[in-house]
Amino acid sequence: MPMDILDIAGIYGLLGACVAVVFLLWGIDRVDPNARGAWTFRPLLVPGVVLIWPLVLWRWWRISRGETLGKRHRPPRLAQDYLALALALAIPVLLVAALLARQNGPYERPAVMLEGPAAEQDKSAQ
Amino acid sequence: MTERPDSFFIGWAPPPRRLRGFLIAVVLGLLALFALTSYLTAATQDDPGDGAFRFDWGRETVVGVLQAEPYPVLHVLESERFGQGQALMLSGFGKRGVQDRGDPLDGKVVEASGVALKRGALDMLQVRGGAEGLGPLEGREAPLPPVVSLGRWRITGEICDGKCYAGAMRPGQGLAHKACANLCLIGGVPPVFVATDDIEGQRFFLLADAEGGAVTEAILDQTATLVEIEGEVTRRGALFVFNIDPQTIRLAQ
């Protein structure tokens, strides 16, 4: 059976939940010294980690390699101009594509009789 | 030679002289863009139709024979507003049907009370809660109108929920309304098929499965778009029912 978008979102969310458990129990202590010994705020981070878990994993990996604060933020910042440009192009393209793909009729298609009524019948008596 | 200072825009300070022309052009350009966007957005919307809650009619009390399958419908016997024999689909408050209240009253004469919704030939009554909204009228009996087959048809149209289409939502049809339509159908509101052609002068059909039962589960993925469906059309009094074969539903091309 082909996967639909909800299945894909479900798998993404499930992976995110696994990452959230591992990151919030062990990983966060390694990337943020201020988080050590602090536990009550961690459940608040679960929804965010589930949503952006690939970025969490990527940053966790970069920080654990000892890269500096400036460096670990560089790729997202470098990409920002390109992403803004891509978004500015993508929005009108998506809008036009959606308008072109939108169903437009048929609004006046005649009904087709496939088989005439056999006889006047009273089904309420059945 | 002195270097000219850079012009710099600060929201709370008077704009630099060199920027004034640019700023006026930007403001006028944005105003024109917003006006154009608003016009195009409004101009491309479908007509939502004239369906509406008829609160101006006040509370309607109707006596009729109740048909519970496929969805509760009242065949009017007495009413100040509706003619004898007219068929009123019934719904509850919000996105709820009244199947659970209608089932025990199947074939009985009942009194229904509530607010009417009307769109062309499509009438619905949103009944009040409890027995005051829908209850048996003891001591009276009347038969349900007979079912007449109008043949097997292939019809193009849109599957809508009967309440929103009748006027509870504007628009009550189309892709933008799909999620609402599905929530209403799941809640038990009767589904209607809005056809692109008349059959015996009728364009609205209550949907049922081939056996005349409820068909909600089988149509949820096909609401809000124009589809072609095959099935038998029947008439019971003033009520037209499209007894569909869900396997035949196809997107209309």
Side-chain angles (χ1 to χ4, degrees):
Chain A
M1 202 179 108
M3 288 208 305
D4 63 22
I5 198 163
L6 288 178
D7 294 327
I8 295 169
I11 292 169
Y12 182 88
L14 202 63
L15 289 170
C18 296
V19 170
V21 169
V22 176
F23 178 70
L24 295 175
L25 287 180
W26 293 285
I28 197 166
D29 293 325
R30 295 163 184 267
V31 303
D32 188 352
N34 293 323
R36 287 172 197 159
W39 292 92
T40 48
F41 80 101
R42 296 187 189 200
L44 302 176
L45 302 186
V46 170
V49 176
V50 170
L51 276 180
I52 58 164
W53 63 266
L55 190 63
V56 171
L57 282 181
W58 177 78
R59 284 204 176 172
W60 183 2
W61 175 61
R62 299 298 291 255
I63 295 169
S64 64
R65 284 167 47 136
E67 294 183 11
T68 63
L69 191 70
K71 240 181 173 178
R72 72 182 152 135
H73 287 293
R74 268 187 71 206
R77 283 185 183 165
L78 281 177
Q80 195 161 330
D81 289 348
Y82 298 109
L83 286 175
L85 189 63
L87 205 59
L89 292 172
I91 288 173
V93 167
L94 281 174
L95 198 63
V96 171
L99 285 172
L100 291 176
R102 187 169 73 159
Q103 189 184 32
N104 188 23
Y107 297 112
E108 296 294 332
R109 180 171 288 174
V112 180
M113 183 184 267
L114 305 172
E115 206 178 298
E120 294 274 313
Q121 50 189 310
D122 182 357
K123 289 190 178 172
S124 62
Q126 288 176 5
Chain B
M1 182 178 133
T2 54
E3 212 171 296
R4 289 174 65 184
D6 282 342
S7 298
F8 193 78
F9 175 78
I10 306 169
W12 45 262
R17 187 177 296 275
R18 287 176 60 201
L19 280 183
R20 277 185 192 161
F22 173 72
L23 288 173
I24 288 171
V26 167
V27 167
L28 292 178
L30 283 176
L31 282 175
L33 185 69
F34 292 158
L36 184 68
T37 309
S38 306
Y39 173 75
L40 288 177
T41 306
T44 52
Q45 299 305 305
D46 293 328
D47 180 2
D50 61 352
F53 268 109
R54 298 312 304 258
F55 292 113
D56 52 321
W57 289 355
R59 182 181 289 160
E60 296 293 335
T61 301
V62 184
V63 173
V65 193
L66 192 122
Q67 169 190 343
E69 291 288 331
Y71 301 92
V73 174
L74 194 62
H75 296 272
V76 177
L77 295 173
E78 292 169 17
S79 164
E80 288 182 6
R81 179 75 57 187
F82 303 104
Q84 189 179 7
Q86 204 167 336
L88 286 180
M89 294 190 300
L90 301 181
S91 81
F93 287 112
K95 298 175 183 298
R96 304 294 296 268
V98 288
Q99 195 75 53
D100 52 339
R101 294 161 69 190
D103 281 341
L105 301 171
D106 190 25
K108 294 184 178 167
V109 175
V110 301
E111 186 174 84
S113 166
V115 179
L117 297 105
K118 184 165 185 63
R119 179 172 188 166
L122 189 72
D123 294 293
M124 175 170 268
L125 192 68
Q126 173 187 280
V127 298
R128 291 193 285 160
E132 287 182 332
L134 185 62
L137 205 61
E138 302 299 342
R140 280 196 66 172
E141 284 186 14
L144 279 169
V147 178
V148 178
S149 172
L150 302 179
R152 189 172 169 78
W153 293 78
R154 184 192 302 127
I155 316 178
T156 303
E158 182 181 330
I159 299 170
C160 303
D161 75 276
K163 189 171 185 182
C164 289
Y165 190 79
M169 286 280 170
R170 291 163 65 89
Q173 65 188 117
L175 209 50
H177 181 257
K178 184 180 175 80
C180 177
N182 279 14
L183 285 173
C184 285
L185 295 179
I186 291 166
V189 172
V192 296
F193 191 69
V194 182
T196 57
D197 191 19
D198 298 358
I199 294 179
E200 288 203 355
Q202 182 62 260
R203 280 199 180 216
F204 306 123
F205 302 87
L206 183 66
L207 282 174
D209 67 12
E211 282 75 44
V215 73
T216 298
E217 287 293 320
I219 58 175
L220 291 175
D221 286 345
Q222 277 88 25
T223 54
T225 48
L226 283 166
V227 289
E228 268 185 4
I229 315 182
E230 292 179 15
E232 186 190 15
V233 176
T234 58
R235 178 166 54 77
R236 180 169 223 166
L239 176 70
F240 284 70
V241 181
F242 191 15
N243 298 82
I244 63 167
D245 182 1
Q247 280 81 44
T248 64
I249 303 179
R250 278 182 197 83
L251 193 69
Q253 303 289 342

